Coordinates of all heavy atoms in Angstrom, one line a residue:
L204 N -12.7 -42.6 -22.8 CA -12.3 -43.8 -23.5 C -13.4 -44.3 -24.4 O -14.5 -44.5 -24.0 CB -11.9 -44.9 -22.4 CG -11.5 -46.3 -23.0 CD1 -10.2 -46.1 -23.7 CD2 -11.4 -47.2 -21.8
C205 N -13.1 -44.5 -25.6 CA -14.1 -45.0 -26.6 C -14.0 -46.5 -26.7 O -12.9 -47.1 -26.9 CB -13.8 -44.4 -28.0 SG -15.1 -44.8 -29.2
L206 N -15.1 -47.2 -26.5 CA -15.2 -48.6 -26.5 C -15.6 -49.2 -27.9 O -15.6 -50.4 -28.1 CB -16.1 -49.1 -25.4 CG -15.7 -48.7 -24.0 CD1 -16.8 -49.2 -23.0 CD2 -14.4 -49.2 -23.6
C207 N -16.0 -48.3 -28.8 CA -16.4 -48.7 -30.1 C -15.2 -49.1 -31.0 O -14.2 -48.5 -30.8 CB -17.3 -47.6 -30.8 SG -18.8 -47.2 -29.9
P208 N -15.5 -50.0 -31.9 CA -14.4 -50.2 -32.9 C -14.1 -49.0 -33.7 O -14.9 -48.1 -33.8 CB -15.0 -51.3 -33.8 CG -16.2 -51.9 -33.1 CD -16.6 -50.8 -32.2
E209 N -12.9 -48.9 -34.3 CA -12.5 -47.8 -35.1 C -13.6 -47.4 -36.2 O -14.0 -48.3 -36.9 CB -11.2 -48.1 -35.8 CG -10.5 -46.9 -36.4 CD -9.9 -46.0 -35.3 OE1 -9.5 -46.5 -34.3 OE2 -9.7 -44.8 -35.6
G210 N -13.9 -46.1 -36.2 CA -14.9 -45.6 -37.2 C -16.4 -45.8 -36.8 O -17.3 -45.4 -37.6
Y211 N -16.6 -46.3 -35.6 CA -18.0 -46.4 -35.1 C -18.2 -45.6 -33.9 O -17.3 -45.4 -33.1 CB -18.3 -47.9 -34.8 CG -18.5 -48.8 -36.0 CD1 -17.3 -49.3 -36.6 CD2 -19.7 -49.1 -36.5 CE1 -17.4 -50.1 -37.7 CE2 -19.8 -49.9 -37.7 CZ -18.7 -50.4 -38.2 OH -18.8 -51.2 -39.3
F212 N -19.4 -45.0 -33.7 CA -19.7 -44.1 -32.6 C -21.1 -44.3 -32.1 O -21.8 -45.1 -32.7 CB -19.5 -42.7 -33.1 CG -18.2 -42.4 -33.7 CD1 -17.9 -42.5 -35.0 CD2 -17.1 -42.0 -32.8 CE1 -16.7 -42.2 -35.5 CE2 -15.9 -41.8 -33.3 CZ -15.6 -41.9 -34.7
G213 N -21.4 -43.6 -31.1 CA -22.7 -43.7 -30.5 C -22.8 -44.6 -29.3 O -21.9 -45.4 -29.0
Y214 N -23.9 -44.5 -28.5 CA -24.0 -45.3 -27.3 C -24.0 -46.8 -27.5 O -23.6 -47.6 -26.7 CB -25.1 -44.8 -26.4 CG -26.5 -45.2 -27.0 CD1 -27.1 -46.4 -26.6 CD2 -27.1 -44.4 -27.9 CE1 -28.3 -46.8 -27.1 CE2 -28.4 -44.8 -28.4 CZ -28.9 -46.0 -28.0 OH -30.1 -46.4 -28.5
D215 N -24.4 -47.2 -28.7 CA -24.5 -48.6 -29.0 C -23.5 -48.9 -30.2 O -23.6 -50.0 -30.8 CB -25.9 -49.1 -29.3 CG -26.6 -48.3 -30.4 OD1 -26.0 -47.3 -30.9 OD2 -27.8 -48.5 -30.6
C216 N -22.6 -48.0 -30.5 CA -21.6 -48.2 -31.6 C -22.2 -48.5 -33.0 O -21.5 -49.2 -33.8 CB -20.6 -49.3 -31.2 SG -19.7 -49.0 -29.6
N217 N -23.4 -48.0 -33.3 CA -24.0 -48.4 -34.6 C -23.9 -47.2 -35.6 O -24.5 -47.3 -36.6 CB -25.4 -48.9 -34.4 CG -26.3 -47.8 -33.9 OD1 -25.9 -46.8 -33.4 ND2 -27.6 -48.0 -34.0
I218 N -23.3 -46.1 -35.2 CA -23.1 -45.0 -36.1 C -21.7 -45.0 -36.7 O -20.8 -45.1 -36.0 CB -23.4 -43.7 -35.4 CG1 -24.8 -43.6 -34.8 CG2 -23.1 -42.5 -36.3 CD1 -25.0 -42.4 -33.9
T219 N -21.7 -45.0 -38.1 CA -20.4 -45.0 -38.7 C -20.1 -43.6 -39.3 O -21.0 -42.9 -39.7 CB -20.4 -46.1 -39.9 OG1 -21.4 -45.7 -40.8 CG2 -20.6 -47.5 -39.3
A220 N -18.8 -43.3 -39.5 CA -18.4 -42.1 -40.1 C -17.0 -42.3 -40.6 O -16.2 -43.2 -40.2 CB -18.3 -41.0 -39.0
S221 N -16.6 -41.5 -41.6 CA -15.3 -41.7 -42.2 C -14.4 -40.5 -41.8 O -14.8 -39.4 -41.5 CB -15.4 -41.8 -43.7 OG -16.0 -40.6 -44.2
I222 N -13.1 -40.7 -41.8 CA -12.1 -39.7 -41.4 C -12.0 -38.7 -42.5 O -11.9 -39.0 -43.6 CB -10.7 -40.3 -41.1 CG1 -10.8 -41.2 -39.9 CG2 -9.7 -39.2 -40.9 CD1 -9.5 -42.0 -39.6
D223 N -12.0 -37.4 -42.1 CA -11.8 -36.3 -43.0 C -10.3 -35.9 -42.8 O -9.9 -35.2 -41.9 CB -12.7 -35.1 -42.6 CG -12.5 -33.9 -43.5 OD1 -11.6 -33.9 -44.3 OD2 -13.3 -32.9 -43.3
A224 N -9.5 -36.4 -43.7 CA -8.1 -36.2 -43.6 C -7.7 -34.8 -43.7 O -6.6 -34.4 -43.1 CB -7.4 -37.0 -44.8
N225 N -8.5 -33.9 -44.4 CA -8.1 -32.5 -44.5 C -8.4 -31.7 -43.2 O -8.0 -30.6 -43.0 CB -8.9 -31.9 -45.6 CG -8.5 -32.4 -47.0 OD1 -7.3 -32.7 -47.2 ND2 -9.5 -32.6 -47.8
A226 N -9.2 -32.3 -42.3 CA -9.5 -31.7 -41.0 C -8.9 -32.5 -39.8 O -9.4 -32.4 -38.7 CB -11.0 -31.6 -40.9
S227 N -7.8 -33.2 -40.1 CA -7.2 -34.1 -39.1 C -5.7 -33.6 -38.9 O -5.2 -33.0 -39.8 CB -7.3 -35.5 -39.4 OG -8.6 -36.0 -39.5
I228 N -5.1 -34.0 -37.8 CA -3.7 -33.7 -37.6 C -3.0 -35.0 -37.6 O -3.3 -36.0 -36.9 CB -3.5 -33.0 -36.2 CG1 -4.2 -31.7 -36.2 CG2 -2.0 -32.9 -35.9 CD1 -4.3 -31.0 -34.8
A229 N -2.0 -35.1 -38.6 CA -1.2 -36.4 -38.8 C -0.4 -36.7 -37.5 O -0.1 -35.8 -36.7 CB -0.3 -36.2 -39.9
A230 N -0.2 -37.9 -37.3 CA 0.6 -38.4 -36.1 C 2.0 -37.8 -36.1 O 2.6 -37.7 -37.1 CB 0.7 -39.9 -36.1
K231 N 2.4 -37.3 -34.9 CA 3.7 -36.7 -34.7 C 4.3 -37.3 -33.4 O 3.6 -37.2 -32.4 CB 3.7 -35.2 -34.7 CG 5.1 -34.7 -34.5 CD 5.1 -33.2 -34.2 CE 6.5 -32.6 -34.1 NZ 7.4 -33.2 -33.1
F232 N 5.5 -37.8 -33.4 CA 6.1 -38.2 -32.2 C 6.5 -37.0 -31.3 O 7.2 -36.1 -31.8 CB 7.3 -39.1 -32.4 CG 7.9 -39.7 -31.2 CD1 7.3 -40.8 -30.6 CD2 9.0 -39.1 -30.6 CE1 7.8 -41.3 -29.4 CE2 9.5 -39.6 -29.4 CZ 8.9 -40.7 -28.8
V233 N 6.1 -37.0 -30.1 CA 6.4 -35.9 -29.2 C 7.2 -36.5 -28.0 O 6.7 -37.4 -27.3 CB 5.1 -35.2 -28.7 CG1 5.5 -34.0 -27.7 CG2 4.3 -34.7 -29.8
S234 N 8.4 -36.0 -27.8 CA 9.2 -36.6 -26.8 C 8.8 -36.0 -25.4 O 8.1 -35.0 -25.3 CB 10.7 -36.3 -27.0 OG 10.9 -34.9 -27.0
A235 N 9.3 -36.7 -24.3 CA 8.8 -36.3 -23.0 C 9.1 -34.8 -22.6 O 8.3 -34.2 -22.0 CB 9.5 -37.2 -21.9
G236 N 10.2 -34.3 -23.1 CA 10.6 -32.9 -22.7 C 10.2 -31.9 -23.8 O 10.5 -30.7 -23.6
E237 N 9.5 -32.3 -24.8 CA 9.2 -31.4 -25.9 C 7.8 -30.7 -25.7 O 6.9 -31.3 -25.2 CB 9.1 -32.3 -27.2 CG 8.8 -31.5 -28.5 CD 8.8 -32.4 -29.7 OE1 9.0 -33.6 -29.5 OE2 8.5 -31.9 -30.8
E238 N 7.8 -29.4 -26.2 CA 6.5 -28.7 -26.2 C 5.9 -28.9 -27.6 O 6.6 -28.9 -28.6 CB 6.8 -27.2 -26.0 CG 5.5 -26.4 -26.1 CD 5.8 -24.9 -25.8 OE1 6.9 -24.6 -25.2 OE2 5.0 -24.1 -26.2
Y239 N 4.6 -29.1 -27.7 CA 4.0 -29.4 -29.0 C 2.6 -28.7 -29.0 O 1.8 -28.8 -28.1 CB 3.8 -30.9 -29.2 CG 3.0 -31.2 -30.4 CD1 3.6 -31.1 -31.7 CD2 1.7 -31.7 -30.4 CE1 2.9 -31.4 -32.9 CE2 1.0 -32.1 -31.5 CZ 1.6 -31.9 -32.8 OH 0.9 -32.2 -33.9
S240 N 2.3 -28.1 -30.2 CA 1.0 -27.5 -30.4 C 0.6 -27.6 -31.8 O 1.5 -27.4 -32.7 CB 1.1 -26.0 -30.0 OG -0.2 -25.4 -30.1
A241 N -0.6 -28.0 -32.0 CA -1.1 -28.1 -33.4 C -2.6 -27.7 -33.4 O -3.4 -28.3 -32.6 CB -1.0 -29.5 -33.9
I242 N -3.0 -26.7 -34.1 CA -4.3 -26.2 -34.1 C -4.8 -26.0 -35.6 O -4.1 -25.4 -36.4 CB -4.5 -24.8 -33.4 CG1 -4.0 -25.0 -31.9 CG2 -5.9 -24.3 -33.4 CD1 -3.8 -23.7 -31.2
L243 N -5.9 -26.7 -35.9 CA -6.4 -26.6 -37.3 C -7.0 -25.2 -37.6 O -7.3 -24.5 -36.6 CB -7.4 -27.7 -37.5 CG -6.9 -29.1 -37.3 CD1 -8.1 -30.1 -37.2 CD2 -6.1 -29.5 -38.5
D244 N -7.3 -24.9 -38.8 CA -8.0 -23.7 -39.2 C -9.3 -23.6 -38.5 O -9.8 -22.5 -38.3 CB -8.1 -23.6 -40.7 CG -6.8 -23.3 -41.4 OD1 -5.8 -22.9 -40.7 OD2 -6.7 -23.6 -42.6
S245 N -9.9 -24.7 -38.3 CA -11.3 -24.7 -37.6 C -11.2 -24.3 -36.2 O -12.2 -24.1 -35.5 CB -11.9 -26.1 -37.7 OG -11.1 -27.0 -36.9
G246 N -10.0 -24.3 -35.6 CA -9.8 -23.9 -34.2 C -9.7 -25.1 -33.3 O -9.5 -25.0 -32.1
V247 N -9.8 -26.3 -33.8 CA -9.6 -27.6 -33.0 C -8.2 -27.9 -33.0 O -7.5 -27.9 -34.0 CB -10.5 -28.7 -33.7 CG1 -10.2 -30.0 -33.0 CG2 -11.9 -28.4 -33.7
G248 N -7.7 -28.4 -31.8 CA -6.3 -28.8 -31.7 C -5.9 -29.1 -30.3 O -6.8 -29.3 -29.4
I249 N -4.6 -29.2 -30.1 CA -4.1 -29.6 -28.8 C -2.8 -28.8 -28.6 O -2.0 -28.5 -29.5 CB -3.8 -31.1 -28.7 CG1 -3.4 -31.5 -27.3 CG2 -2.8 -31.6 -29.8 CD1 -3.5 -33.0 -27.1
S250 N -2.5 -28.5 -27.3 CA -1.3 -27.9 -26.9 C -0.7 -28.6 -25.7 O -1.4 -28.7 -24.7 CB -1.5 -26.4 -26.6 OG -0.3 -25.8 -26.3
I251 N 0.5 -29.1 -25.9 CA 1.1 -29.9 -24.8 C 2.4 -29.2 -24.3 O 3.3 -29.0 -25.1 CB 1.5 -31.3 -25.3 CG1 0.3 -32.1 -25.9 CG2 2.2 -32.2 -24.2 CD1 0.6 -33.4 -26.6
P252 N 2.4 -28.8 -23.1 CA 3.6 -28.1 -22.6 C 4.8 -29.1 -22.4 O 4.6 -30.3 -22.2 CB 3.2 -27.5 -21.3 CG 2.1 -28.3 -20.8 CD 1.4 -28.8 -22.0
A253 N 6.0 -28.6 -22.5 CA 7.2 -29.4 -22.2 C 7.1 -30.0 -20.8 O 6.7 -29.4 -19.9 CB 8.5 -28.5 -22.3
G254 N 7.4 -31.3 -20.7 CA 7.4 -32.0 -19.5 C 6.0 -32.6 -19.1 O 5.9 -33.3 -18.1
A255 N 5.0 -32.4 -19.9 CA 3.7 -32.9 -19.7 C 3.6 -34.4 -19.9 O 2.8 -35.1 -19.3 CB 2.6 -32.2 -20.5
L256 N 4.5 -34.9 -20.8 CA 4.5 -36.3 -21.1 C 5.6 -37.0 -20.3 O 6.8 -36.5 -20.2 CB 4.8 -36.6 -22.6 CG 3.7 -36.1 -23.5 CD1 4.1 -36.1 -24.9 CD2 2.4 -36.9 -23.3
G257 N 5.3 -38.1 -19.6 CA 6.3 -38.9 -18.9 C 7.2 -39.7 -19.9 O 8.4 -39.8 -19.7
D258 N 6.7 -40.1 -21.0 CA 7.4 -40.8 -22.1 C 6.9 -40.2 -23.4 O 5.9 -39.6 -23.5 CB 7.0 -42.3 -22.1 CG 7.5 -43.1 -20.8 OD1 8.6 -42.9 -20.4 OD2 6.7 -43.8 -20.3
G259 N 7.8 -40.4 -24.4 CA 7.4 -39.9 -25.7 C 6.2 -40.7 -26.3 O 6.2 -41.9 -26.1
V260 N 5.4 -40.1 -27.0 CA 4.2 -40.7 -27.7 C 4.0 -40.1 -29.0 O 4.3 -39.0 -29.3 CB 2.9 -40.7 -26.8 CG1 3.1 -41.4 -25.5 CG2 2.5 -39.3 -26.6
S261 N 3.3 -40.8 -29.9 CA 2.9 -40.3 -31.1 C 1.5 -39.8 -31.0 O 0.5 -40.5 -30.6 CB 2.9 -41.5 -32.2 OG 2.6 -41.0 -33.4
V262 N 1.3 -38.4 -31.2 CA 0.1 -37.7 -30.9 C -0.6 -37.5 -32.3 O 0.0 -37.1 -33.3 CB 0.3 -36.4 -30.2 CG1 -0.9 -35.6 -30.1 CG2 1.0 -36.6 -28.9
S263 N -1.9 -37.6 -32.3 CA -2.7 -37.3 -33.5 C -4.1 -36.9 -33.2 O -4.6 -37.1 -32.1 CB -2.7 -38.5 -34.5 OG -3.5 -39.5 -34.0
L264 N -4.8 -36.3 -34.2 CA -6.2 -35.9 -34.0 C -6.9 -36.4 -35.3 O -6.5 -36.0 -36.4 CB -6.4 -34.4 -33.9 CG -7.8 -33.9 -34.1 CD1 -8.7 -34.3 -33.0 CD2 -7.7 -32.4 -34.1
E265 N -7.9 -37.2 -35.1 CA -8.7 -37.7 -36.3 C -10.1 -36.9 -36.2 O -10.7 -36.9 -35.1 CB -9.0 -39.2 -36.2 CG -7.7 -40.0 -36.4 CD -7.9 -41.5 -36.2 OE1 -9.0 -41.9 -35.7 OE2 -7.0 -42.2 -36.5
T266 N -10.5 -36.3 -37.3 CA -11.7 -35.7 -37.4 C -12.6 -36.5 -38.3 O -12.2 -36.8 -39.5 CB -11.6 -34.2 -37.9 OG1 -10.7 -33.5 -37.0 CG2 -12.9 -33.5 -38.0
Y267 N -13.8 -36.8 -37.9 CA -14.7 -37.7 -38.7 C -15.8 -36.8 -39.3 O -16.2 -35.8 -38.8 CB -15.3 -38.8 -37.8 CG -14.3 -39.8 -37.4 CD1 -13.4 -39.7 -36.4 CD2 -14.3 -41.0 -38.2 CE1 -12.5 -40.6 -36.1 CE2 -13.4 -42.0 -37.9 CZ -12.5 -41.8 -36.9 OH -11.5 -42.8 -36.6
D268 N -16.2 -37.3 -40.5 CA -17.2 -36.6 -41.3 C -18.4 -36.1 -40.5 O -18.8 -36.8 -39.6 CB -17.6 -37.6 -42.4 CG -18.5 -36.9 -43.5 OD1 -19.0 -35.8 -43.2 OD2 -18.5 -37.5 -44.6
T269 N -18.9 -35.0 -40.8 CA -20.0 -34.4 -40.1 C -21.4 -35.1 -40.4 O -22.4 -34.9 -39.8 CB -20.2 -32.9 -40.4 OG1 -20.4 -32.7 -41.8 CG2 -19.0 -32.1 -39.9
E270 N -21.4 -35.9 -41.4 CA -22.6 -36.5 -41.8 C -22.5 -38.1 -41.7 O -22.5 -38.8 -42.7 CB -23.0 -36.2 -43.3 CG -23.3 -34.7 -43.5 CD -24.5 -34.2 -42.7 OE1 -25.4 -35.0 -42.6 OE2 -24.5 -33.1 -42.3
P271 N -22.4 -38.6 -40.5 CA -22.2 -40.0 -40.4 C -23.5 -40.7 -40.9 O -24.6 -40.2 -40.8 CB -22.0 -40.2 -38.9 CG -22.6 -39.0 -38.2 CD -22.4 -37.9 -39.2
T272 N -23.3 -41.9 -41.3 CA -24.4 -42.8 -41.8 C -25.2 -43.3 -40.6 O -24.6 -44.0 -39.7 CB -23.9 -43.9 -42.6 OG1 -23.1 -43.4 -43.7 CG2 -25.0 -44.8 -43.2
L273 N -26.4 -43.0 -40.5 CA -27.3 -43.5 -39.4 C -28.0 -44.7 -39.9 O -28.3 -44.8 -41.0 CB -28.2 -42.4 -38.9 CG -27.6 -41.1 -38.4 CD1 -28.6 -40.1 -38.0 CD2 -26.7 -41.4 -37.1
P274 N -28.4 -45.6 -38.9 CA -29.1 -46.8 -39.3 C -30.5 -46.4 -39.9 O -31.1 -45.4 -39.6 CB -29.3 -47.5 -38.0 CG -28.3 -47.0 -37.1 CD -28.0 -45.6 -37.5
A275 N -30.9 -47.2 -40.9 CA -32.2 -47.0 -41.5 C -33.3 -46.9 -40.5 O -33.4 -47.6 -39.5 CB -32.6 -48.1 -42.5
G276 N -34.2 -45.8 -40.6 CA -35.3 -45.7 -39.6 C -34.9 -45.0 -38.3 O -35.7 -44.8 -37.5
S277 N -33.6 -44.6 -38.2 CA -33.1 -44.0 -37.0 C -33.8 -42.6 -36.8 O -33.9 -41.8 -37.7 CB -31.6 -43.8 -37.0 OG -31.2 -43.1 -35.8
K278 N -34.1 -42.3 -35.6 CA -34.7 -41.0 -35.2 C -33.6 -40.1 -34.7 O -33.8 -38.9 -34.4 CB -35.8 -41.1 -34.2 CG -37.0 -41.9 -34.7 CD -38.1 -42.0 -33.7 CE -39.2 -42.8 -34.3 NZ -40.3 -43.0 -33.4
K279 N -32.4 -40.6 -34.7 CA -31.2 -39.8 -34.2 C -30.8 -38.8 -35.3 O -31.0 -39.0 -36.5 CB -30.0 -40.7 -33.9 CG -30.4 -41.7 -32.8 CD -29.2 -42.6 -32.7 CE -29.6 -43.8 -31.7 NZ -28.5 -44.8 -31.7
K280 N -30.2 -37.7 -34.9 CA -29.6 -36.7 -35.9 C -28.2 -36.5 -35.6 O -27.7 -36.5 -34.4 CB -30.4 -35.4 -35.8 CG -31.9 -35.6 -36.1 CD -32.5 -34.2 -36.4 CE -33.9 -34.3 -36.5 NZ -34.5 -34.6 -37.7
A281 N -27.4 -36.4 -36.6 CA -25.9 -36.1 -36.5 C -25.8 -34.7 -36.0 O -26.4 -33.8 -36.5 CB -25.2 -36.3 -37.8
K282 N -24.9 -34.5 -35.1 CA -24.6 -33.2 -34.5 C -23.1 -32.9 -34.6 O -22.3 -33.2 -33.7 CB -25.0 -33.1 -33.0 CG -26.5 -33.3 -32.8 CD -27.2 -32.0 -33.2 CE -28.7 -32.2 -32.9 NZ -29.5 -31.1 -33.3
G283 N -22.7 -32.2 -35.6 CA -21.3 -31.8 -35.7 C -20.3 -32.8 -36.0 O -20.6 -34.0 -36.3
K284 N -19.0 -32.5 -35.9 CA -17.9 -33.4 -36.2 C -17.6 -34.2 -34.9 O -17.9 -33.7 -33.8 CB -16.7 -32.6 -36.7 CG -17.0 -31.9 -38.0 CD -15.7 -31.2 -38.5 CE -16.1 -30.5 -39.8 NZ -15.3 -30.9 -40.9
V285 N -17.0 -35.3 -35.2 CA -16.4 -36.1 -34.1 C -14.9 -36.0 -34.1 O -14.3 -36.2 -35.2 CB -16.9 -37.6 -34.2 CG1 -16.2 -38.5 -33.2 CG2 -18.4 -37.7 -34.2
H286 N -14.3 -35.6 -33.0 CA -12.8 -35.5 -32.9 C -12.3 -36.6 -32.0 O -12.8 -36.7 -30.9 CB -12.5 -34.1 -32.4 CG -13.0 -33.0 -33.3 ND1 -12.5 -32.7 -34.5 CD2 -14.0 -32.1 -33.0 CE1 -13.2 -31.7 -35.0 NE2 -14.1 -31.3 -34.1
K287 N -11.3 -37.3 -32.4 CA -10.7 -38.3 -31.6 C -9.2 -38.0 -31.5 O -8.4 -38.0 -32.4 CB -10.8 -39.7 -32.3 CG -10.4 -40.8 -31.4 CD -10.5 -42.2 -32.1 CE -11.9 -42.6 -32.2 NZ -11.9 -44.0 -32.7
F288 N -8.8 -37.6 -30.2 CA -7.4 -37.4 -29.9 C -6.8 -38.7 -29.6 O -7.3 -39.5 -28.8 CB -7.3 -36.4 -28.7 CG -7.8 -35.0 -29.1 CD1 -9.1 -34.6 -28.9 CD2 -6.9 -34.0 -29.6 CE1 -9.5 -33.3 -29.2 CE2 -7.3 -32.8 -29.9 CZ -8.6 -32.4 -29.7
K289 N -5.6 -38.9 -30.1 CA -4.9 -40.2 -29.8 C -3.4 -39.9 -29.4 O -2.9 -38.9 -29.7 CB -4.8 -41.0 -31.1 CG -6.1 -41.6 -31.5 CD -6.0 -42.4 -32.8 CE -7.0 -43.5 -32.9 NZ -6.7 -44.3 -34.1
P290 N -2.9 -40.8 -28.6 CA -3.3 -42.2 -28.3 C -4.3 -42.1 -27.1 O -4.3 -41.1 -26.3 CB -2.1 -42.9 -28.0 CG -1.2 -41.9 -27.4 CD -1.5 -40.6 -28.2
H291 N -5.1 -43.1 -26.9 CA -6.0 -43.2 -25.8 C -5.2 -43.6 -24.5 O -4.2 -44.3 -24.6 CB -7.0 -44.3 -26.1 CG -7.8 -44.1 -27.3 ND1 -8.7 -43.1 -27.5 CD2 -7.8 -44.8 -28.5 CE1 -9.2 -43.2 -28.7 NE2 -8.7 -44.2 -29.3
G292 N -5.7 -43.1 -23.4 CA -5.1 -43.5 -22.1 C -3.9 -42.8 -21.7 O -3.3 -43.2 -20.7
V293 N -3.4 -41.8 -22.4 CA -2.2 -41.0 -22.0 C -2.5 -40.3 -20.7 O -3.5 -39.6 -20.6 CB -1.7 -40.1 -23.1 CG1 -0.6 -39.2 -22.6 CG2 -1.3 -40.8 -24.3
R294 N -1.6 -40.4 -19.8 CA -1.7 -39.6 -18.6 C -0.6 -38.5 -18.6 O 0.5 -38.8 -18.9 CB -1.5 -40.4 -17.3 CG -2.5 -41.5 -17.2 CD -2.8 -41.9 -15.8 NE -3.8 -43.0 -15.7 CZ -5.0 -42.8 -15.4 NH1 -5.4 -41.6 -15.2 NH2 -5.9 -43.8 -15.3
F295 N -1.1 -37.3 -18.4 CA -0.2 -36.1 -18.5 C 0.3 -35.7 -17.1 O -0.4 -35.8 -16.1 CB -0.9 -34.9 -19.1 CG -1.3 -35.2 -20.6 CD1 -2.6 -35.6 -20.8 CD2 -0.4 -35.1 -21.6 CE1 -3.0 -35.9 -22.2 CE2 -0.7 -35.4 -22.9 CZ -2.0 -35.8 -23.2
N296 N 1.6 -35.2 -17.0 CA 2.2 -34.7 -15.8 C 1.7 -33.3 -15.4 O 1.9 -32.9 -14.3 CB 3.7 -34.8 -15.8 CG 4.2 -36.2 -16.0 OD1 3.6 -37.1 -15.5 ND2 5.3 -36.4 -16.8
S297 N 1.2 -32.6 -16.4 CA 0.7 -31.2 -16.2 C -0.5 -31.0 -17.1 O -0.8 -31.9 -18.0 CB 1.8 -30.2 -16.4 OG 2.3 -30.3 -17.7
F298 N -1.2 -29.9 -17.0 CA -2.3 -29.6 -17.8 C -2.0 -29.5 -19.3 O -0.9 -28.8 -19.6 CB -3.1 -28.4 -17.3 CG -3.7 -28.5 -16.0 CD1 -3.2 -27.9 -14.9 CD2 -4.9 -29.3 -15.9 CE1 -3.9 -28.1 -13.7 CE2 -5.5 -29.5 -14.7 CZ -5.0 -28.9 -13.6
V299 N -2.8 -30.0 -20.2 CA -2.7 -29.7 -21.6 C -3.9 -29.0 -22.0 O -4.9 -29.0 -21.2 CB -2.5 -31.0 -22.4 CG1 -1.3 -31.8 -22.0 CG2 -3.7 -31.9 -22.3
T300 N -3.9 -28.4 -23.1 CA -5.1 -27.6 -23.6 C -5.6 -28.3 -24.9 O -4.9 -28.5 -25.8 CB -4.7 -26.2 -23.9 OG1 -4.1 -25.6 -22.8 CG2 -5.9 -25.4 -24.4
L301 N -6.9 -28.6 -24.8 CA -7.6 -29.1 -26.0 C -8.5 -27.9 -26.5 O -9.2 -27.3 -25.8 CB -8.6 -30.3 -25.6 CG -7.9 -31.5 -25.1 CD1 -9.0 -32.6 -24.8 CD2 -6.9 -32.1 -26.1
Y302 N -8.4 -27.7 -27.8 CA -9.2 -26.7 -28.4 C -10.3 -27.3 -29.2 O -10.1 -28.1 -30.1 CB -8.3 -25.8 -29.4 CG -7.2 -25.1 -28.7 CD1 -5.9 -25.7 -28.6 CD2 -7.3 -23.9 -28.1 CE1 -4.9 -25.1 -28.0 CE2 -6.3 -23.2 -27.5 CZ -5.0 -23.8 -27.5 OH -4.0 -23.2 -26.8
L303 N -11.5 -27.0 -28.8 CA -12.7 -27.5 -29.5 C -13.5 -26.4 -30.0 O -13.8 -25.4 -29.3 CB -13.5 -28.4 -28.5 CG -12.8 -29.5 -27.9 CD1 -13.6 -30.2 -26.8 CD2 -12.4 -30.6 -29.0
A304 N -13.9 -26.5 -31.3 CA -14.6 -25.3 -31.9 C -16.1 -25.8 -32.2 O -16.4 -26.9 -32.4 CB -14.0 -24.9 -33.2

């Protein structure tokens, strides 16, 4: 669960990044009995088997820029992309597969 406001990351929520729309999966409503799979060219994605959802939900993946803006003087370094699967807090009835590259 991410506690930072939208577009902010890090243990103290002070790192900002913008969404890379070309590396994200647009929201799609998936019904409770539907199978759904979406995998980007990068290999990142999700696969939800039929029956894994108790209720239908709108599923999406936001990929944030690999070069987030760090605070001035920060000794931190950006490490790769940030992927946010949505919606938050969904409980699945069976295993789903997350693909992370």
Side-chain angles (χ1 to χ4, degrees):
L204 177 66
C205 185
L206 302 176
C207 297
E209 194 72 28
Y211 288 84
F212 302 94
Y214 71 93
D215 54 2
C216 300
N217 68 342
I218 299 171
T219 61
S221 57
I222 294 175
D223 181 350
N225 295 323
S227 297
I228 298 171
K231 180 191 183 306
F232 184 81
V233 181
S234 64
E237 183 180 358
E238 179 178 340
Y239 174 71
S240 184
I242 302 170
L243 297 168
D244 290 341
S245 66
V247 174
I249 187 167
S250 182
I251 302 171
L256 294 168
D258 295 313
V260 296
S261 186
V262 175
S263 67
L264 165 66
E265 295 174 347
T266 300
Y267 287 80
D268 191 338
T269 58
E270 298 294 330
T272 304
L273 299 175
S277 176
K278 295 180 182 180
K279 300 174 189 175
K280 297 197 187 273
K282 297 285 186 184
K284 296 183 183 237
V285 175
H286 303 288
K287 186 184 284 189
F288 291 90
K289 288 180 153 186
H291 304 289
V293 172
R294 298 208 182 261
F295 297 98
N296 297 327
S297 60
F298 291 109
V299 301
T300 303
L301 297 179
Y302 299 93
L303 302 173

